[in-house]
């Protein structure tokens, strides 16, 4: 007789996705994992270490978070939210660009910030924190360009249509952890735990990062597993064709706080993936419930 599947694995199977997860009690270190050390594509989750490096450079006086930057419409990275979806030139501070990057996953804001702090500086930060499996290898513009090239099309609208074909999806470099921004579920929860314990940067910087992650507007993934007014969910999503991700921290009114990282990939090439979205919240809740049974 085959053993019963892991409860978290069962959630992923029922949703028709492959899944990777790590959840950890930030204060006790108790953990639950499923393929927690396997490489995964970050997609927009890479904006978390980028935000951390932005604040650490501000701590060292290398930049001023109130510095105002003009983002022109002509050279703006594409995307469906924030500046990436707007039509006119705009001038914002670095910290307000960071807000857009985290709250609505604005690709244009992220690329302005990555150009300002430097991609290699983000990777040096990750090395310094011992997160050697986590790498930022490209910005959003280069990632989008690789999609167009690999799909053999000329713009984002055509990519969406082309990616209905599984053969096109199979050749996208952006979906290969070896050739895209990458990490592991365990390294992402280690990063979040360091931010929540004020170890990744100064106390004020970590508080600012936590504030921005709490301002994310999307309720349909991680937050969907915790529909309670007194449970706080802070997170960052990531989305690419067939991929749906979110990493974040769930905080209970009794003081319990849990870092969780969930990454999924679907066989379906549908643009909308509500089952995968909901599975992220359900899997996270299943894992955290396991941790809380030992309180």
């Amino acid at each position: 007789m085959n053993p019963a599947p892991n409860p978290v694995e069962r959630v992923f199977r029922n949703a028709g996705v492959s899944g990777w997860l790590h959840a950890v009690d930030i204060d006790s270190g108790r953990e639950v994992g499923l393929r927690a050390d396997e490489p995964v594509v970050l997609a927009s989750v890479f904006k978390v270490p980028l935000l951390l490096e932005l604040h650490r450079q501000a701590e060292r006086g290398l930049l001023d978070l109130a510095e105002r930057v003009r983002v022109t419409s002509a050279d703006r990275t594409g995307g469906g939210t924030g500046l990436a979806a707007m039509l006119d030139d705009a001038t914002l501070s670095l910290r307000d660009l960071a807000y857009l990057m985290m709250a609505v996953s604005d690709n244009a804001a992220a690329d302005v910030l990555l150009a300002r702090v430097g991609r290699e500086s983000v990777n040096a930060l990750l090395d310094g924190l011992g997160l050697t499996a986590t790498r930022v290898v490209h910005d959003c513009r280069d990632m989008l360009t690789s999609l167009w090239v690999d799909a053999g099309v000329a713009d984002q609208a055509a990519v969406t249509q082309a990616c209905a074909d599984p053969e096109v999806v199979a050749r996208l470099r952006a979906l290969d952890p070896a050739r895209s921004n990458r990490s592991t579920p365990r390294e992402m929860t280690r990063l979040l735990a360091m931010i929540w314990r004020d170890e990744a940067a100064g106390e004020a910087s970590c508080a600012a990062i936590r504030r921005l992650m709490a301002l994310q507007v999307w309720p349909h993934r991680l937050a969907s597993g915790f529909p309670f007014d007194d449970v706080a969910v802070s997170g960052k999503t990531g989305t690419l064709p067939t991929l749906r991700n979110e990493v974040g921290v769930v905080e209970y009114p009794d003081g319990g706080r849990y870092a969780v990282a969930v990454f999924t990939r679907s066989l379906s090439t549908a643009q909308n993936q509500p089952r995968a979205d909901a599975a992220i919240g359900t899997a996270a809740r299943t894992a955290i419930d396991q941790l809380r049974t030992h309180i």
Side-chain angles (χ1 to χ4, degrees):
M1 178 181 295
N2 294 327
N6 178 301
V8 173
E9 179 78 83
R10 188 182 305 121
V11 171
F12 292 135
R13 287 186 186 180
N14 290 341
V17 301
S18 298
W20 298 256
L21 176 146
H22 188 248
V24 63
D25 184 322
I26 289 175
D27 299 297
S28 73
R30 289 192 300 270
E31 60 183 346
V32 170
L34 179 69
R35 296 184 281 274
D37 296 308
E38 294 184 8
V40 291
V41 172
L42 286 174
S44 283
V45 173
F46 90 93
K47 294 165 184 172
V48 177
L50 168 55
L51 178 65
L52 176 59
E53 176 58 15
L54 177 75
H55 279 273
R56 286 175 55 124
Q57 289 195 11
E59 288 180 347
R60 301 199 300 274
L62 298 178
L63 56 81
D64 179 357
L65 292 172
E67 174 187 332
R68 297 180 69 80
V69 178
R70 186 166 181 79
V71 184
T72 68
S73 59
D75 57 3
R76 190 175 295 166
T77 300
T81 59
L83 291 171
M86 297 179 187
L87 301 178
D88 300 317
D89 295 357
T91 301
L92 292 90
S93 67
L94 292 175
R95 59 189 172 193
D96 281 347
L97 286 167
Y99 159 71
L100 288 175
M101 174 178 75
M102 300 304 291
V104 297
S105 203
D106 184 340
N107 288 341
D111 280 2
V112 170
L113 294 174
L114 186 58
R116 185 70 171 81
V117 305
R119 181 171 55 84
E120 289 310 315
S121 294
V122 178
N123 287 326
L125 161 69
L126 293 165
D127 283 337
L129 295 175
L131 305 175
T132 56
T134 305
R135 278 295 170 273
V136 175
V137 302
H138 51 215
D139 62 10
C140 297
R141 181 184 296 274
D142 286 346
M143 186 274 294
L144 291 173
T145 300
S146 79
L147 290 179
W148 301 351
V149 171
D150 295 346
V153 299
D155 57 42
Q156 188 59 37
V159 166
T160 300
Q161 185 173 7
C163 286
D165 182 347
E167 292 187 3
V168 171
V169 171
R171 63 175 184 255
L172 298 180
R173 286 169 288 168
L175 306 186
D176 180 355
R179 296 187 290 178
S180 191
N181 295 340
R182 59 184 174 270
S183 184
T184 67
R186 188 186 304 277
E187 286 208 352
M188 290 314 301
T189 60
R190 284 180 58 196
L191 176 60
L192 293 171
M194 284 188 279
I195 293 170
W196 255 253
R197 292 194 300 256
D198 294 333
E199 297 170 355
E203 185 175 331
S205 293
C206 287
I209 294 167
R210 294 194 294 269
R211 170 182 172 270
L212 290 182
M213 292 188 68
L215 292 175
Q216 180 184 237
V217 301
W218 316 128
H220 58 309
R221 292 187 185 168
L222 182 58
S224 71
F226 307 89
F228 313 110
D229 290 342
D230 56 353
V231 175
V233 178
S234 306
K236 181 70 202 78
T237 57
T239 305
L240 281 171
T242 71
L243 303 187
R244 300 293 184 274
N245 308 328
E246 187 158 359
V247 306
V249 171
V250 181
E251 298 175 89
Y252 284 74
D254 61 7
R257 50 185 190 167
Y258 309 89
V260 60
V262 188
F263 297 82
T264 72
R265 182 162 187 175
S266 174
L267 289 174
S268 169
T269 60
Q271 184 177 358
N272 294 315
Q273 297 273 354
R275 295 177 66 199
D277 291 332
I280 290 172
T282 304
R285 173 74 180 278
T286 301
I288 291 174
D289 280 352
Q290 291 182 40
L291 295 174
R292 289 179 61 79
T293 58
H294 299 289
I295 289 177

